[in-house]
């Protein structure tokens, strides 16, 4: 039952976004303080709880695919975000938000979407871990490189905040998994649903707090994030295909590249750029968009696998 609720992640994203736009006063007041940071840290802790030493040892068994995915993650998405921001002449606050999304690691929802697509879940988990751990350096540096000409970017502040909301919770989760497996066994069944609820709540609060701006600039924002994530899925797919990866790996890399940790982009935008209050909005719209596009893609691939199996019978 809980797993089925987690699989409906795109539906919950749409509903939470709709509620936030229709009744923003319910949630807008929560867009203050450290609540968002704590929620994202909890989501990353849940990710850490699912990891063991064996997950890290998998890197040695599939180094080529992991490296291809890693390069695609931190080259295609940052560059594409900058190109889209320039091409659509986005104002600085939205351009920064889009570039932050592009420079963030793969999202944990990508593992769920990979499972739905019947692709390589183990590779997806390893890629998410690698890009997440690298984010502590890659995200601040790439953001400063690509957005530094538009707005002042404090790479050191971004580095510290990424450590706070990503690296420390993941390491804590791995340690808990190592030293208190009995505790993890009781948490794991509900962790996916809690993570989904956390992401939906973070996005809903940001959408509610900026409902007027979203309604005014909705089409421009939707187009920007659709181009970013749609391009990420497409370019990630063909990048892996041209380098000779197997079909399951190609689909996994496509999903991993196209789906970003939008929650991290929201928190970093809120914490590091308080003078640009609209910057986090892009992350909230991004979370809805990549969930929808990723889920649709996963269902299409799943159906193709089912049809192929039936044809072989």
């Amino acid at each position: 039952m809980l797993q089925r609720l987690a699989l409906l992640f795109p539906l919950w994203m749409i509903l939470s976004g709709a509620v936030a736009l229709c009744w923003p006063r319910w949630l807008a007041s929560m867009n203050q303080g450290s609540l968002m940071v704590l929620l994202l840290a909890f989501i990353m802790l849940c990710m850490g709880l699912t990891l063991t030493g064996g997950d890290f040892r998998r890197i040695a068994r599939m180094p080529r695919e992991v490296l291809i995915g890693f390069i695609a993650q931190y080259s295609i998405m940052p560059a594409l975000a900058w190109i889209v921001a320039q091409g659509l002449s986005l104002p600085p606050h939205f351009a920064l938000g889009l570039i932050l999304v592009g420079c963030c690691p793969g999202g944990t929802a990508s593992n769920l979407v990979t499972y739905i697509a019947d692709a390589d879940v183990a590779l997806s988990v390893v890629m998410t871990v690698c890009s997440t751990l690298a984010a502590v350096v890659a995200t601040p540096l790439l953001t400063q490189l690509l957005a530094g000409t538009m707005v002042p970017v404090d790479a050191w502040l971004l580095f510290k905040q990424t450590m706070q909301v990503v690296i420390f919770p993941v390491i804590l989760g791995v340690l808990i998994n190592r030293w208190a497996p009995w505790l993890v066994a009781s948490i794991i069944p509900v962790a996916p649903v809690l993570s989904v609820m956390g992401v939906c709540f973070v996005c809903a609060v940001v959408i509610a707090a900026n409902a007027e701006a979203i309604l005014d600039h909705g089409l421009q924002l939707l187009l920007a994030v659709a181009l970013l994530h749609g391009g990420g899925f497409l370019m990630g797919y063909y990048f892996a295909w041209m380098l000779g990866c197997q079909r399951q790996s190609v689909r996994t890399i496509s999903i991993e590249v196209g789906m970003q940790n939008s929650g991290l982009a929201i928190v970093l935008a809120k914490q590091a750029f308080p003078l640009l209050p609209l910057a986090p909005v892009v992350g909230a719209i991004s979370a809805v968009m990549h969930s929808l596009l990723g889920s649709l893609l996963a269902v299409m691939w799943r159906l193709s696998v089912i049809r192929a199996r039936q044809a072989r019978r």
Side-chain angles (χ1 to χ4, degrees), residues 9-302:
F9 176 56
L11 174 62
W12 308 137
M13 286 297 311
I14 294 173
L15 290 177
S16 60
V19 169
L21 285 176
C22 294
W23 298 283
R25 285 182 295 178
W26 292 3
L27 296 164
S29 60
M30 300 180 189
N31 192 37
Q32 305 291 334
S34 58
L35 178 62
M36 301 296 186
V37 176
L38 292 174
L39 279 173
L40 182 63
F42 172 76
I43 293 167
M44 299 313 297
L45 173 65
C46 289
M47 175 183 169
L49 290 175
T50 66
L51 301 176
T52 65
D55 292 312
F56 294 97
R57 286 192 291 272
R58 289 177 193 167
I59 299 173
R61 297 200 294 269
M62 53 179 72
R64 184 171 177 274
E65 289 83 355
V66 173
L67 180 61
I68 289 171
F70 185 87
I71 293 172
Q73 176 74 57
Y74 281 118
S75 60
I76 291 173
M77 293 304 280
L80 192 56
W82 186 86
I83 291 170
V84 170
Q86 295 295 316
L88 297 180
S89 300
L90 295 180
H93 44 267
F94 291 149
L96 171 68
L98 192 71
I99 289 171
L100 259 178
V101 170
C103 294
C104 278
T108 53
S110 63
N111 308 147
L112 175 62
V113 171
T114 300
Y115 170 76
I116 296 172
D118 199 25
D120 192 336
V121 178
L123 175 60
S124 176
V125 170
V126 170
M127 284 181 59
T128 301
V129 172
C130 289
S131 65
T132 298
L133 295 177
V136 69
V137 174
T139 298
L141 291 181
L142 288 169
T143 302
Q144 185 179 50
L145 174 66
L146 297 173
T149 57
M150 305 175 191
V151 296
V153 176
D154 188 339
W156 176 244
L157 179 59
L158 284 173
F159 171 81
K160 291 190 292 185
Q161 289 169 345
T162 308
M163 288 288 292
Q164 176 186 358
V165 299
V166 176
I167 303 302
F168 291 155
V170 169
I171 292 175
L172 178 60
V174 173
L175 292 176
I176 292 174
N177 195 355
R178 173 68 178 84
W179 299 108
W182 55 271
L183 179 61
V184 173
S186 63
I187 297 174
I188 285 297
V190 298
V193 173
L194 293 177
S195 296
V196 166
M197 290 172 59
V199 172
C200 290
F201 182 78
V202 167
C203 293
V205 168
V206 172
I207 290 172
N210 302 279
E212 186 176 348
I214 291 173
L215 293 174
D216 290 341
H217 303 278
L219 291 178
Q220 187 183 38
L221 286 173
L222 286 173
L223 178 60
V225 296
L227 288 173
L228 175 63
H229 293 294
F233 287 120
L234 183 65
M235 295 174 71
Y237 184 95
Y238 282 105
F239 183 80
W241 176 75
M242 287 189 297
L243 291 176
C245 293
Q246 298 296 317
R247 185 176 63 179
Q248 268 202 324
S249 297
V250 166
R251 292 178 174 181
T252 304
I253 291 171
S254 171
I255 292 169
E256 198 67 27
V257 172
M259 300 190 70
Q260 300 294 89
N261 191 334
S262 302
L264 177 61
I266 292 171
V267 170
L268 292 180
K270 281 179 59 64
Q271 296 287 99
F273 303 97
L275 298 180
L276 297 171
L278 292 179
V281 172
V282 183
I285 303 297
S286 163
V288 178
M289 182 61 70
H290 76 62
S291 299
L292 289 176
L293 293 179
S295 298
L296 289 172
L297 193 60
V299 169
M300 289 171 53
W301 280 337
R302 182 80 164 198

